[in-house]
Amino acid sequence: MTGALVVIAFLIFAGLMIARKLPALLAVPCMAIAIAVVAGVPADGIGTIVASGSVLLAKYIVTLIFGALLGRVAIETGIAETIVAYAAEFGGERPLVVSLVMCAAVTVLFTTLTGLGAIIMVGTIVLPILMTLGVPRTTAATLFLMSFGLGFALNLAQWTFYETLFGVARADLVRFGAVVFAVQAFVLLAYALVRERRMRGYATLAVAPATPARKGAPPWALVAPILPLVLFATPLHVDALVAFAISALYAVLATKPRESVRILVASAIRGVEDVAPALLLMIGIGMLLATTKAPAVAAAVTPLVAAVTPRSPFAYVVVFGLLSPLALYRGPLNPFGVGIAVYSVLASLHALPAVALAAAVMAVVQVQNVCDPTNTQNVWVANFTGVGVEKITRLTLPFQVAVSTIAAVCAVLFGTALFGHAPFAIAFGSPASAGTLPAQALPGAGLFAPDAIRNTVGIGTDGGANSLVAADTIARDLRAWKGLSVVTAALDPALSDCTRKPFDAFLRVTVERSVTLSGTTADANAYLMDCAGWSVEEWHESRTFAGEPSRDAVRELALRLAFRLRVWTHERPTLAAMLLARGLAYDPARDLAPTWYFTLVKTDDGYMRALVRPGGPAWDAGLRTNDVVDQVDGRFWWEYGTYQTQRKAYDGKPHTFVITRANVKDDIPIALGKPFAPPLREAPETRPF
């Protein structure tokens, strides 16, 4: 019921934005508060959401301000106007060439420019030039917006937003940003060629440039708009905020050094004015982010979002590519509208790898930036050119959906090359765990112990004095067994496979003491494991003493454990012989079910964690002990239930998982390969020792 109320609140404010009854600046924070209220967040929690959410995107907000500073400096110093003037001169009177050259100029400018003020300043120069030279109004308007979208694909301020929202390193965004840029450039060129036929014979007089473009800045100053990208590309990886500041300072010193103070101060003030709507929207988005992270809201929304989450590469392409028009009208895929709640929940659910989710937003934003009729830039361009804003959407939408879809396909197919590791298991070029997990030379290479250490038992303890006495006693007894060798081992056998182990069976011996009213109780324990620490059997002996147990008493308990071990070798001779011959306990005649040698355990912290035998098939597939299992076969484990999920470790089916791992930022997809099936071949000697 609570989840339904959250959805209703979501839809009400989304509808108000779509109907243009309430601007996003007010609708988004109101939505955040309304969702918190209906989800049952207490009053003090709502106050925390407003306070913490307002500054949640502070880094992005400050970066946006510094980007606006550079944009204003580029305008005040004449750099932007000079770039456009050179572009117009180069194009001459050929409409198609002029259009493409102007597109290139706009693209370069909007790699750093942001805000409606920059749109207006650049548009009032570029659009009249295009329309005067014979480019139809609709073509000029749409090409301008597509060029803006092309430049925004490499906008550092925008990348800072993705980093802040999803916790993705900028280095993981650079290559995919380049792919989006290349796809958008190709589609823009295709669109220009399609529209070129409309330019032929078109009446040239449309609008006389209100302010003719002049070459007011020296050539060496024209690099200022792209200087932030250059600074970031250096080995120093200069932060975007610092890069904007350095570029703004360079721009004024290269053009009007005597007026540098005045220009910088004025540009800072006007820059804040330019991006004020975006800043206010970011505050509202921060509140919405804080709301979706509230436990009450997460509990209500998680099942709903989980039910519609794209869980496969195909669904990823469909949702974030073909269905990208859902970003229009501040819709459910718009990260600058109601969609921020969806993306926030997806991020908190680990429903997709963080880098794949960031890539999805980067793809969808190409539709939102160019086509959304609620964008301030779309409204201004439509009014300035006299073209209906809905017509701009109709003309550009098919092309921008193609951009989003192709980008999503690239993320799926070439994720390893783009992100450094595969966000989906089908990505070409490497297995699912490439880049994060060590690979075995051959499947099962560490499954068995080396032949050279056959019939060798390693003995370890917890380091306690009584444990050492018990271990020494058991070791002396085992050395008396014919054909058996014993070594002392301080290592944990579960930390690695059996490739270089000095034993093929491991016995961990401990003695624990507890004091009760009746005296001191000594518990002696022996845990038998294979060469990789996989549990085989365990025995326990206990005795209560009036005082502290003597060394002789501890030895007596240890000898009882050794005797029980000997009895076990008689009861399970084949299992014991296999363990001591190959380092793996199995009976070829009885253990016929295929296995991957892992199990799933729900721990006290509420997570479903994996316990994996090193060197086994699950280990070879990339699964590790203590990995947190989020999804099994494309669904969250809690959708199956605890018991049903744990049973999947034994059903003999090659499952797939999405796991999270300590110190690894992104989710890791795992696909089980070929299981271990006990071979029906000669068994080692089954004589008990």
Side-chain angles (χ1 to χ4, degrees):
M1 179 63 182
T2 304
L5 292 176
V6 170
V7 172
I8 291 173
F10 180 95
L11 293 176
I12 288 174
F13 286 98
L16 290 173
M17 280 189 283
I18 292 173
R20 305 183 74 174
K21 299 295 184 181
L22 191 66
L25 296 180
L26 294 177
V28 173
C30 289
M31 177 191 293
I33 296 172
I35 289 176
V37 170
V38 300
V41 177
D44 58 340
I46 294 176
T48 301
I49 286 173
V50 174
S52 62
S54 298
V55 297
L56 191 61
L57 298 178
K59 180 180 179 181
Y60 171 74
I61 290 173
V62 175
T63 304
L64 194 64
I65 291 173
F66 273 75
L69 165 65
L70 175 58
R72 269 293 165 180
V73 167
I75 294 170
E76 294 290 335
T77 57
I79 291 175
E81 188 175 10
T82 302
I83 291 175
V84 173
Y86 276 115
E89 182 180 277
F90 177 80
E93 297 182 356
R94 294 164 291 181
L96 178 60
V97 174
V98 171
S99 299
L100 294 178
V101 173
M102 287 295 177
C103 286
V106 173
T107 297
V108 170
L109 291 171
F110 281 102
T111 57
T112 51
L113 299 183
T114 54
L116 180 61
I119 289 284
I120 293 173
M121 292 298 175
V122 177
T124 52
I125 298 171
V126 171
L127 291 172
I129 291 175
L130 289 176
M131 291 185 290
T132 301
L133 295 178
V135 178
R137 293 172 179 268
T138 52
T139 302
T142 50
L143 282 178
F144 179 80
L145 288 171
M146 292 177 78
S147 302
F148 158 75
L150 178 59
F152 224 59
L154 298 181
N155 191 285
L156 291 184
Q158 187 71 12
W159 286 2
T160 304
F161 175 65
Y162 302 140
E163 293 176 77
T164 306
L165 181 60
F166 301 112
V168 179
R170 185 171 298 176
D172 292 336
L173 301 176
V174 171
R175 286 184 292 272
F176 187 73
V179 168
V180 174
F181 182 87
V183 173
Q184 179 71 69
F186 176 81
V187 170
L188 188 153
L189 177 61
Y191 178 81
L193 293 174
V194 170
R195 299 294 300 179
E196 191 266 342
R197 290 177 295 178
R198 300 289 184 93
M199 301 182 196
R200 300 170 185 172
Y202 185 78
T204 57
L205 181 59
V207 176
T211 306
R214 300 182 303 273
K215 301 176 185 177
W220 55 84
L222 303 184
V223 299
I226 63 170
L227 187 56
L229 286 174
V230 176
L231 292 173
F232 173 73
T234 64
L236 296 177
H237 290 293
V238 178
D239 185 81
L241 188 151
V242 178
F244 283 139
I246 293 174
S247 300
L249 183 61
Y250 169 78
V252 295
L253 293 178
T255 54
K256 300 177 181 180
R258 294 182 179 180
E259 301 180 59
S260 57
V261 174
R262 180 191 65 78
I263 292 176
L264 287 173
V265 172
S267 297
I269 296 173
R270 293 294 301 276
V272 172
E273 294 176 357
D274 291 340
V275 297
L279 299 185
L280 294 175
L281 183 58
M282 288 302 107
I283 292 174
I285 289 175
M287 293 181 190
L288 195 53
L289 280 170
T291 298
T292 58
K293 293 179 180 178
V297 176
V301 174
T302 293
L304 300 177
V305 177
V308 298
T309 297
R311 296 186 172 90
S312 68
F314 176 77
Y316 180 89
V317 173
V318 170
V319 172
F320 300 115
L322 298 177
L323 296 182
S324 55
L326 291 175
L328 302 181
Y329 295 100
R330 309 289 169 177
L333 290 184
N334 192 322
F336 304 104
V338 296
I340 191 62
V342 174
Y343 292 119
S344 300
V345 173
L346 287 176
S348 65
L349 286 176
H350 301 293
L352 291 168
V355 68
L357 190 56
V361 177
M362 293 176 72
V364 169
V365 160
Q366 292 307 109
V367 173
Q368 184 269 329
N369 273 340
V370 177
C371 307
D372 193 347
T374 65
N375 289 338
T376 53
Q377 67 261 22
N378 288 57
V379 174
W380 180 85
V381 170
N383 290 337
F384 187 85
T385 57
V387 178
V389 68
E390 291 80 9
K391 186 174 183 180
I392 292 176
T393 300
R394 289 197 306 270
L395 289 173
T396 58
L397 186 59
F399 293 88
Q400 293 306 114
V401 170
V403 172
S404 182
T405 303
I406 295 171
V409 170
C410 289
V412 168
L413 297 183
F414 309 111
T416 301
L418 295 174
F419 308 124
H421 54 83
F424 294 98
I426 70 163
F428 295 158
S430 71
S433 56
T436 57
L437 303 172
Q440 297 288 343
L442 294 171
L447 187 64
F448 301 110
D451 290 337
I453 49 88
R454 177 174 293 199
N455 296 337
T456 301
V457 177
I459 294 184
T461 71
D462 59 2
N466 288 334
S467 299
L468 291 171
V469 172
D472 180 70
T473 302
I474 294 176
R476 291 173 182 271
D477 187 84
L478 294 183
R479 288 190 179 101
W481 296 15
K482 183 180 179 181
L484 195 66
S485 300
V486 179
V487 297
T488 301
L491 57 83
D492 183 353
L495 294 179
S496 60
D497 62 27
C498 298
T499 306
R500 296 179 178 86
K501 292 292 177 58
F503 49 77
D504 47 20
F506 185 82
L507 191 69
R508 186 171 184 268
V509 180
T510 65
V511 177
E512 301 171 356
R513 56 180 294 278
S514 59
V515 180
T516 64
L517 293 176
S518 57
T520 301
T521 300
D523 295 301
N525 314 290
Y527 304 92
L528 181 63
M529 311 172 192
D530 64 17
C531 57
W534 197 246
S535 178
V536 177
E537 188 57 87
E538 60 185 68
W539 302 276
H540 309 276
E541 291 288 339
S542 178
R543 184 178 171 183
T544 302
F545 303 90
E548 288 294 326
S550 64
R551 292 172 65 90
D552 288 340
V554 172
R555 291 191 185 98
E556 180 185 350
L557 292 174
L559 288 173
R560 291 182 186 179
L561 293 174
F563 176 75
R564 294 183 65 178
L565 172 59
R566 182 182 288 271
V567 171
W568 176 78
T569 64
H570 283 269
E571 293 175 343
R572 300 295 304 272
T574 303
L575 196 66
M578 279 293 184
L579 172 64
L580 293 169
R582 308 206 67 195
L584 186 68
Y586 67 94
D587 187 339
R590 297 171 58 179
D591 301 329
L592 300 179
T595 178
W596 282 265
Y597 281 107
F598 78 101
T599 188
L600 300 175
V601 180
K602 186 178 179 182
T603 49
D604 292 340
D605 55 13
Y607 289 112
M608 185 67 68
R609 295 183 182 271
L611 179 64
V612 186
R613 183 198 187 275
W619 173 276
D620 289 337
L623 199 61
R624 295 293 183 268
T625 294
N626 284 328
D627 282 347
V628 175
V629 176
D630 292 327
Q631 298 182 38
V632 182
D633 298 331
R635 296 175 61 186
F636 292 98
W637 67 264
W638 56 80
E639 297 181 55
Y640 299 108
T642 301
Y643 174 75
Q644 292 80 359
T645 300
Q646 293 172 334
R647 287 294 303 167
K648 291 183 182 296
Y650 311 103
D651 62 8
K653 297 179 181 179
H655 297 289
T656 61
F657 305 94
V658 174
I659 62 100
T660 55
R661 178 173 300 152
N663 300 321
V664 176
K665 181 175 59 179
D666 297 324
D667 294 342
I668 303 173
I670 303 291
L672 296 180
K674 186 178 180 180
F676 171 76
L680 293 174
R681 56 185 180 182
E682 72 277 7
E685 183 181 0
T686 58
R687 172 183 58 81
F689 293 90

